[in-house]
Amino acid sequence: MRLEYTRDELLTSHAYEEPLIAGDVLCHGGFIGSGYVSPRTLHRLPAIGAWQDRLRREGLPLLNLPTEYVPPHYPSYEQAKYLLQEGITDPITRSLTIISIVEGFGARIRDLPLPDLHATFVEDVGGTAIAHLGGGLVEAHARDEAGHRREGGHKQMWEAARDLGLSKPELPGDILLRMMMGRRRPERRREFPELPAVTENLVAFLTGVMIIEIVAEDVFEWAKALLGDPEVCRQNRAAAAMVAHIQQDEKAHVEYLRTALSEMRARTFVGADGTTHVPGATVVDRLFEVGLRGIVSTRPREDRERLREEIHAAIEDRAEASRIASRFEELDAGWTFPKGEDEKLDLLLETAAAPR
Amino acid sequence: MTSAAESVAGVVESAVAAAGGVFGVAERAIRAGRIGHTAASVYLRIKTPRWWDRLVGNDPAARDMSGVHQRNAEQILETATALKGLLIKICQVVGTRSDVFPQAYVRTLSRTQDRLPPRPFEQIRAVVEADLGAPIGSIFRDFAQIPVAAASLAQVHRARLPDGRDVAVKVRYPDIDDIVQTDLTTSRWICQIYERLDPQPMALLPLLDELQKYLALELDFEREVENAERIRRMFANEERVVIPAVHRELSSKRVITMEFVEGIKVTDRLALERAGVRPRRVVEGLLAIYNQMILAHGFFQADPHPGNIFIQPGPRFVIVDFGLAKELPKNFGLGIFELMFSMMTYNEAAMIRAFRELGFRTKTGDESTYLEIARRMIGASEDGAFRGEFTEEMTDELFDAIRENPIVEVPIDFVLVSRAFSLLSGIAHTLGHRANILDSMAPGGDGAAAAPR
Ligand SMILES: Nc1ncnc2c1ncn2[C@@H]1O[C@H](COP(=O)(O)OP(=O)(O)OP(=O)(O)O)[C@@H](O)[C@H]1O
Ligand SMILES: [Fe+2]
Ligand SMILES: [Fe+2]
């Protein structure tokens, strides 16, 4: 199997028979036969498969995030459906719009400063996902999220899903306000001061993105169920299909990230002084855990509180507000992160399985 | 012109009409004469050597003009300082455009951002006593005769209330309406002559039109107080934002009495570092605060020039001067965001949609004009790719492009927002950083946590 690919190859799409058009907006990807094919995957997916094969041949494990660590979407499908049934659309419109904006911000990954990756590790990185990060993988990811030139990306696809499902709802005037509210986070602490800052930032950033991509799985399931529900959504089939296309595209992201990080775990980082060595697994596992704690435990708690307030404010305007509010709360299944503050997380690893 | 702009222009006219007559023909002539003389000297000093070079066959581009620019800048500053009013405003604009104008002008004219020779205290006292209806000594325990700052339209004095609290009293110059009108007329006249003289004139008249719109807003102190209070409420829960509280009972159409605030000038990098404030934090915080006002709340202080922002250790951000504040239409922030986004991804269909949503119009309906504008803006960004910063170069290019495509109608809100972002970008560059709007509004906050760097 080939392990070296050019940047152009990693950015090349299939020859689609039909493009994907969302509303009146041209998007990426397209159809061959009756199936949707993700953009820029003609070589990208086979390449990721080849790098994962190599890990497996070398007997190395693959990073994994257990599903029980992933917080469910709030409000839940049942709660959201109930709100729509009561005619309370703004919170859902807002959520879907914010998701589209956040997806668009995914393009900023291309501004991530990359160190010289050959000098970052003691071992060779030839023929790995690591070596291809700057050679097309990150750029493909950026384009998938925000779109590129004529083609819209996930940002536009989420907007389309929202407009199909909720019949082009009027956008509340406070979307950016809500999005930016409570978003200030403390600066991340350096965990490995002996490493060059750019190296630690790279690992922290990639682990963060990988966690977010996996957490998003639940957002997809939620959106497919809600927007695909004919009782509350008009063009439910088209809306759910759009979400499914996005979900399919994201597979490539999770897989290249998990591959590159697993390759890093199997190597040794070179310290800022050029002589100190730090085992890759130590660095990746630590940063993965720190990121995971932040993203799936602290953040959902805060976000959930904020959203809950926002939804109750929207209910307040209704006649029968208290009945709606208590019904809404009844439907809340709740969630807590299964591990305590100092409890060790399960080792997030599985032996490299056959690539999906 | 948009309807907002028309109504603003109307306000200027009626304000001028109301004040008519007080300001004599002679004063008017003297001002006009002095401005005209300065303009002519500046123009000739630049052009004569070039004509000469061309005549004798030298390369005009090879000539070192820095001495000429310095002399010009000093003469402009001297005239502006003596005459105040609109001229100071123009100098302030030049003083923040280090990338457009030669250094000599920027360095010299940026001095207008804080200190100018004050008006005699008696003029100030007269306004305060007339408007507040009592002798100054009975209202204030102390009132410093020397002002803290003498700006273009007003000057600010430090004073103390009977209960001991320190206040800043901003007092409008009594004859400012007339001054502004004369300067506008004169400047317009000079621009027209200049456009005829110069085979390739810079488009100064549209700049003047813009200035006229803002001035009317800035001359109304009651509005200014409303604005300040509204933004103060917006940041009531944010300790890092300091907006001076207004003493309404001691304020009027021409006087604002407010809490006295102190801090380091935002562009004084050395003083910031000495106070233990990291310039990067200042840039991030400032941008986050302006993003909150512009993109999230849709109401903002539209004049973030360095003279209006002070930093206290923390950092805490002191913002003064709400003469120019603007309410934006619903979801204007989303529109700005969409425009930036489409430029980042080179998505032309999305650019056209964004321009249209922001209120741009082409008279002929030809939408390729929008693309031309966006392309030129992207081209003017640092490495030819838009990453989220509206630099001064980009806004300048934007306005050039608009001027060269007279078929476009530009919403005044957009002009104010892009001007504010480019002023912030100027501050960021002075502090050795960048003002990336997208970074700052990205999930993850002030851009510190999530932004890769
Ligand atoms: N509350 C205050 N406390 C302390 N100083 C103040 C206060 N308000 C204003 N100043 C000082 O006075 C100066 C001029 O005030 P301000 O900017 O409001 O006037 P202005 O005429 O609108 O000026 P310009 O339009 O030229 O910025 C400020 O730059 C600041 O130095
Ligand atoms: Fe995505
Ligand atoms: Fe993704």
Side-chain angles (χ1 to χ4, degrees):
Chain A
M1 269 259 217
R2 237 171 98 198
L3 295 172
E4 298 292 345
Y5 295 82
T6 65
R7 179 186 152 94
D8 280 345
E9 282 176 327
L10 293 178
L11 292 171
T12 301
S13 295
H14 293 76
Y16 305 115
E17 288 162 7
E18 250 185 76
L20 170 65
I21 296 184
D24 51 0
V25 177
L26 176 70
C27 290
H28 66 209
F31 299 88
I32 298 176
S34 58
Y36 172 77
V37 179
S38 294
R40 297 170 270 273
T41 53
L42 183 63
H43 298 287
R44 188 163 45 139
L45 281 180
I48 296 170
W51 297 319
Q52 290 191 354
D53 267 346
R54 177 179 169 181
L55 278 171
R56 202 173 36 246
R57 276 201 311 277
E58 291 168 1
L60 296 167
L62 212 52
L63 258 182
N64 181 47
L65 175 61
T67 43
E68 69 262 29
Y69 290 174
V70 175
H73 190 273
Y74 183 86
S76 68
Y77 157 61
E78 288 79 13
Q79 287 179 300
K81 177 174 180 178
Y82 175 63
L83 290 177
L84 290 180
Q85 280 169 333
E86 290 289 346
I88 299 168
T89 349
D90 276 2
I92 313 298
T93 306
R94 229 183 252 121
S95 284
L96 290 168
T97 310
I98 290 176
I99 292 172
S100 79
I101 294 173
V102 171
E103 284 268 13
F105 272 116
R108 294 185 330 137
I109 194 172
R110 74 156 63 89
D111 294 331
L112 174 70
L114 289 178
D116 172 2
L117 289 163
H118 290 277
T120 300
F121 301 94
V122 175
E123 299 82 357
D124 183 38
V125 294
T128 61
I130 297 176
H132 290 80
L133 286 173
L137 286 176
V138 165
E139 182 60 28
H141 186 163
R143 292 182 184 183
D144 288 355
E145 305 291 18
H148 186 62
R149 301 209 180 257
R150 288 171 57 232
E151 298 175 344
H154 292 168
K155 176 176 182 292
Q156 287 82 0
M157 288 159 80
W158 274 108
E159 287 166 359
R162 172 198 68 201
D163 291 345
L164 287 164
L166 305 181
S167 310
K168 223 171 188 340
E170 195 190 328
L171 301 187
D174 60 354
I175 291 177
L176 290 181
L177 178 65
R178 299 273 180 188
M179 189 185 93
M180 287 157 73
M181 229 166 50
R183 278 289 185 188
R184 231 178 334 134
R185 316 241 172 251
E187 209 167 347
R188 193 178 54 76
R189 228 186 39 224
R190 282 294 299 272
E191 296 287 336
F192 297 95
E194 64 272 34
L195 292 181
V198 60
T199 301
E200 182 174 334
N201 275 346
L202 170 71
V203 181
F205 195 85
L206 295 181
T207 49
V209 176
M210 176 174 161
I211 295 163
I212 290 170
E213 296 273 352
I214 293 176
V215 168
E217 270 303 305
D218 204 81
V219 180
F220 294 123
E221 294 306 327
W222 172 82
K224 279 194 299 186
L226 184 70
L227 297 177
D229 189 329
E231 287 175 39
V232 282
C233 289
R234 274 280 187 75
Q235 291 173 271
N236 60 306
R237 270 164 206 279
M242 195 60 74
V243 177
H245 300 333
I246 304 171
Q247 186 173 21
Q248 182 180 326
D249 297 347
E250 300 286 6
K251 280 270 184 322
H253 302 171
V254 176
E255 295 306 325
Y256 94 83
L257 289 166
R258 115 168 46 232
T259 309
L261 288 167
S262 304
E263 291 164 351
M264 290 181 186
R265 287 188 85 254
R267 287 176 168 69
T268 316
F269 284 97
V270 180
D273 59 5
T275 51
T276 313
H277 290 174
V278 190
T282 311
V283 175
V284 174
D285 292 358
R286 175 89 199 114
L287 292 173
F288 200 82
E289 178 160 346
V290 171
L292 184 66
R293 292 257 182 208
I295 293 172
V296 307
S297 85
T298 327
R299 203 186 285 188
R301 218 181 307 130
E302 294 166 3
D303 289 355
R304 172 184 249 274
E305 267 328 293
R306 247 205 353 269
L307 274 167
R308 198 166 159 262
E309 258 171 52
E310 178 189 322
I311 290 167
H312 278 281
I315 294 175
E316 205 106 295
D317 298 340
R318 298 282 145 156
E320 296 192 85
S322 65
R323 178 186 61 82
I324 300 176
S326 53
R327 178 79 190 121
F328 176 77
E329 286 302 322
E330 270 168 39
L331 291 169
D332 189 353
W335 189 76
T336 43
F337 190 62
K339 295 279 178 177
E341 284 290 331
D342 339 296
E343 235 178 305
K344 183 98 185 73
L345 300 184
D346 294 328
L347 239 203
L348 316 171
L349 292 173
E350 64 185 26
T351 330
R356 276 164 280 177
Chain B
M1 229 191 316
T2 61
S3 62
E6 268 161 22
S7 65
V8 169
V11 174
V12 173
E13 271 159 33
S14 52
V16 170
V22 185
F23 199 59
V25 178
E27 282 96 327
R28 219 164 271 177
I30 291 168
R31 278 189 83 84
R34 182 133 187 217
I35 296 171
H37 174 72
T38 305
S41 319
V42 168
Y43 184 75
L44 289 176
R45 246 188 239 124
I46 294 175
K47 286 294 168 176
T48 315
R50 300 226 160 131
W51 287 330
W52 175 253
D53 282 334
R54 222 162 272 147
L55 206 66
V56 300
N58 291 339
D59 176 10
R63 180 182 280 273
D64 177 13
M65 297 290 284
S66 55
V68 168
H69 290 323
Q70 189 57 43
R71 245 172 303 143
N72 276 343
E74 272 157 25
Q75 189 182 357
I76 294 171
L77 179 67
E78 196 184 305
T79 308
T81 309
L83 297 181
K84 294 210 179 66
L86 184 69
L87 294 184
I88 294 292
K89 279 276 148 195
I90 295 175
C91 293
Q92 286 175 348
V93 171
V94 174
T96 53
R97 298 295 181 89
S98 55
D99 37 295
V100 180
F101 296 98
Q103 263 304 311
Y105 292 97
V106 176
R107 229 179 308 114
T108 310
L109 300 186
S110 68
R111 279 189 245 149
T112 52
Q113 277 159 13
D114 20 45
R115 268 160 235 293
L116 292 170
R119 292 290 187 95
F121 180 64
E122 277 321 305
Q123 284 188 20
I124 300 300
R125 178 211 291 274
V127 174
V128 174
E129 297 191 339
D131 277 30
L132 302 186
I136 245 181
S138 72
I139 308 170
F140 301 98
R141 189 200 285 177
D142 298 312
F143 197 102
Q145 299 215 356
I146 313 269
V148 187
S152 46
L153 311 176
Q155 70 191 34
V156 176
H157 289 255
R158 187 172 187 148
R160 185 163 291 166
L161 297 179
D163 65 10
R165 277 182 294 173
D166 277 333
V167 289
V169 186
K170 183 171 174 180
V171 184
R172 227 178 80 178
Y173 300 132
D175 45 4
I176 196 69
D177 290 331
D178 294 306
I179 292 179
V180 164
Q181 188 52 28
T182 307
D183 291 357
L184 274 175
T185 316
T186 314
S187 308
R188 203 168 287 279
W189 181 70
I190 291 170
C191 287
Q192 277 156 358
I193 294 176
Y194 157 80
E195 283 189 356
R196 243 165 252 160
L197 277 178
D198 202 320
Q200 283 170 302
M202 292 187 282
L204 295 176
L205 275 171
L207 262 177
L208 218 54
D209 290 337
E210 281 165 30
L211 207 60
Q212 176 166 1
K213 292 171 203 164
Y214 307 144
L215 276 168
L217 299 175
E218 287 196 58
L219 283 170
D220 182 348
F221 269 19
E222 280 168 357
R223 249 187 84 117
E224 178 164 344
V225 169
E226 297 294 335
N227 295 340
E229 300 272 274
R230 183 160 166 196
I231 290 177
R232 210 176 125 78
R233 281 196 300 277
M234 192 185 288
F235 290 107
N237 295 323
E238 281 212 50
E239 226 182 285
R240 66 169 172 171
V241 182
V242 180
I243 313 281
V246 177
H247 294 269
R248 277 182 176 262
E249 70 292 355
L250 297 178
S251 301
S252 69
K253 267 195 183 336
R254 297 185 296 174
V255 177
I256 300 177
T257 302
M258 60 194 142
E259 172 190 357
F260 194 91
V261 285
E262 283 173 282
I264 302 162
K265 185 171 176 179
V266 65
T267 42
D268 191 344
R269 190 174 179 162
L270 241 92
L272 288 173
E273 276 163 2
R274 247 184 272 124
V277 178
R278 279 155 63 201
R280 192 185 121 185
R281 287 253 153 257
V282 171
V283 172
E284 283 169 358
L286 201 54
L287 209 55
I289 291 165
Y290 271 85
N291 271 342
Q292 238 166 298
M293 289 192 271
I294 295 174
L295 302 175
H297 288 276
F299 184 74
F300 72 116
Q301 192 268 24
D303 200 11
H305 74 70
N308 287 338
I309 299 166
F310 301 92
I311 306 297
Q312 296 174 353
R316 303 201 326 156
F317 300 84
V318 180
I319 302 176
V320 299
D321 191 357
F322 297 85
L324 194 56
K326 189 74 180 58
E327 166 116 47
L328 299 168
K330 185 184 172 193
N331 280 330
F332 196 82
L334 267 183
I336 293 279
F337 170 72
E338 290 293 334
L339 179 64
M340 290 192 288
F341 221 90
S342 62
M343 293 200 328
M344 184 180 84
T345 56
Y346 310 96
N347 188 325
E348 301 196 336
M351 287 176 204
I352 292 177
R353 264 199 311 277
F355 273 118
R356 237 192 279 127
E357 259 161 46
L358 285 170
F360 281 74
R361 291 291 173 265
T362 66
K363 297 252 159 68
T364 57
D366 176 13
E367 295 184 322
S368 63
T369 312
Y370 297 146
L371 298 182
E372 148 91 2
I373 294 173
R375 253 183 242 126
R376 286 180 57 172
M377 277 176 79
I378 298 171
S381 57
E382 223 157 321
D383 50 1
F386 180 71
R387 299 190 192 286
E389 179 172 18
F390 269 113
T391 58
E392 293 157 303
E393 290 87 343
M394 288 178 68
T395 11
D396 291 337
E397 189 66 29
L398 168 75
F399 289 115
D400 284 349
I402 289 170
R403 266 174 225 125
E404 288 159 29
N405 290 282
I407 41 169
V408 190
E409 200 174 285
V410 185
I412 186 171
D413 296 305
F414 185 83
V415 173
L416 287 173
V417 166
S418 51
R419 176 173 168 275
F421 278 137
S422 85
L423 281 170
L424 291 171
S425 162
I427 292 175
H429 285 229
T430 311
L431 293 178
H433 288 272
R434 277 183 206 164
N436 190 313
I437 305 159
L438 286 175
D439 260 2
S440 164
M441 72 179 291
D446 282 11
R453 37 188 98 233

